[in-house]
Amino acid sequence: MSKDHIRDYATEAFRFYARWGGRDSYVKSLLSDLQQHKGSGICSPTESALIHKEQVMREHMAEIADLEAVENVLRICGHDVRQAVEMVYLAKPYEELEWGEIKQRVHYAEIHIPASQATIYRWLARARRMFAEERGLRLKNKKKEKS
């Protein structure tokens, strides 16, 4: 498996999604944290509270965009690709990935889907590329650029 510049970022975005369960859950958590820090005021939010909320949301825009991109990929990628992503990237999201663990998960997926190891890796690469496109990340071109 060749290393590409988006592999680690995309893999971690899928794992981040698995930890939070999606964009809505993450945003709800951010808003809940704002409520707890604000206190238990009964009146409508003040202008400063709204500005603070917008600032917090701006600070977490990258995470929210990652979650939205993953959700879009999982919605459009197809059953087999989604199943591979779930077995390899979304499993045990709270545990650190150990060396060789992705390879073990791919082996598990090839038995349970069933599909060849090469096919699983192709599906995972497709999911990562779809994530990068959804997220608007710069993709390497196969052709060399002219200087």
Side-chain angles (χ1 to χ4, degrees), residues 98-129:
E98 300 294 325
W99 187 86
E101 190 168 348
I102 294 288
K103 185 176 180 176
Q104 292 172 353
R105 291 179 183 189
V106 167
H107 179 66
Y108 175 84
E110 78 177 305
I111 292 169
H112 289 84
I113 287 181
S116 72
Q117 185 178 28
T119 299
I120 301 292
Y121 279 119
R122 262 193 311 278
W123 289 340
L124 294 173
R126 183 182 309 156
R128 291 191 310 268
R129 184 168 188 81

Side-chain angles (χ1 to χ4, degrees), residues 128-142:
R128 291 191 310 268
R129 184 168 188 81
M130 290 171 74
F131 167 79
E133 289 169 353
E134 286 289 325
R135 185 63 172 83
L137 300 178
R138 180 180 48 82
L139 298 171
K140 285 185 180 179
N141 290 334
K142 298 269 182 188

Side-chain angles (χ1 to χ4, degrees), residues 6 8-9 19 21 23 25 29 47 65 72-73 81 83 90 92 97 104 111 114-115 121 124 128-129 144-145:
I6 61 168
D8 293 341
Y9 185 87
R19 285 191 294 274
R23 177 200 182 278
S25 175
S29 172
E47 184 177 355
N72 289 338
V73 168
V81 175
Q83 200 172 7
L90 304 185
K92 301 178 185 176
L97 284 173
Q104 292 172 353
I111 292 169
Y121 279 119
L124 294 173
R128 291 191 310 268
R129 184 168 188 81
K144 289 193 173 193
E145 296 178 12

Side-chain angles (χ1 to χ4, degrees), residues 31-46:
L31 296 177
S32 175
D33 287 349
L34 279 175
Q35 286 295 108
Q36 288 176 357
H37 293 311
K38 184 176 83 168
S40 58
I42 297 173
C43 59
S44 62
T46 63

